[in-house]
Amino acid sequence: MLKYTEDHEWIKLDGDIATVGITTHAQDALGDVVFVDLPSLGSTFAQKEVAGVVESVKAAADVFMPISGEVTEVNEALRDDPSLANSDPLGAGWFFKVRLSDKSQLDALLDEAAYTKFSEA
């Protein structure tokens, strides 16, 4: 199940662990990603809190936590090669994984059709 935020993050649920990254739309808008600041393992965030930063040749943008939870893993490959956020934003360019603390928050996120309509507006 893939869900999206209006801040252009995506979230993919696998049990009670969710993988988070930035959308294709976000990386297109940012341009070439040159740096990512990822959260620390074990950090907890509330939904919509800033959990990281992505910097490109054009701009820097906050990465917001799509749902409340605890960071269980970060993508060290992305830290070493930030361009993965451009070349494979929905795959190898994921940012972090989080253990959900409130699955009901997923209901407020957008499905693919709603996100596509939102991002084209």
Side-chain angles (χ1 to χ4, degrees):
M1 173 177 70
L2 208 55
K3 295 279 204 164
Y4 302 87
T5 71
E6 291 183 355
D7 295 312
H8 306 288
E9 289 89 20
W10 59 265
I11 181 169
K12 182 178 181 184
L13 190 61
D14 183 12
D16 66 341
I17 302 292
T19 304
V20 177
I22 62 169
T23 64
T24 301
H25 177 83
Q27 68 84 27
D28 282 345
L30 285 168
D32 293 334
V33 174
V34 295
F35 175 77
V36 293
D37 181 22
L38 301 172
S40 301
L41 287 178
S43 298
T44 58
F45 295 91
Q47 187 177 35
K48 298 185 180 182
E49 272 191 306
V50 174
V53 175
V54 59
E55 294 182 15
S56 73
V57 294
K58 291 183 185 178
D62 290 332
V63 177
F64 296 95
M65 184 63 76
I67 41 75
S68 299
E70 177 185 353
V71 176
T72 61
E73 188 177 345
V74 295
N75 187 352
E76 293 299 338
L78 183 64
R79 195 185 316 262
D80 295 339
D81 183 5
S83 70
L84 289 171
N86 293 115
S87 62
D88 193 8
L90 299 177
W94 61 275
F95 279 59
F96 53 86
K97 295 185 180 187
V98 60
R99 182 177 317 280
L100 305 180
S101 61
D102 183 358
K103 264 189 169 174
S104 70
Q105 291 176 341
L106 291 168
D107 297 337
L109 301 179
L110 305 172
D111 64 16
E112 186 171 1
Y115 177 73
T116 299
K117 185 175 180 179
F118 169 78
S119 62
E120 290 174 350

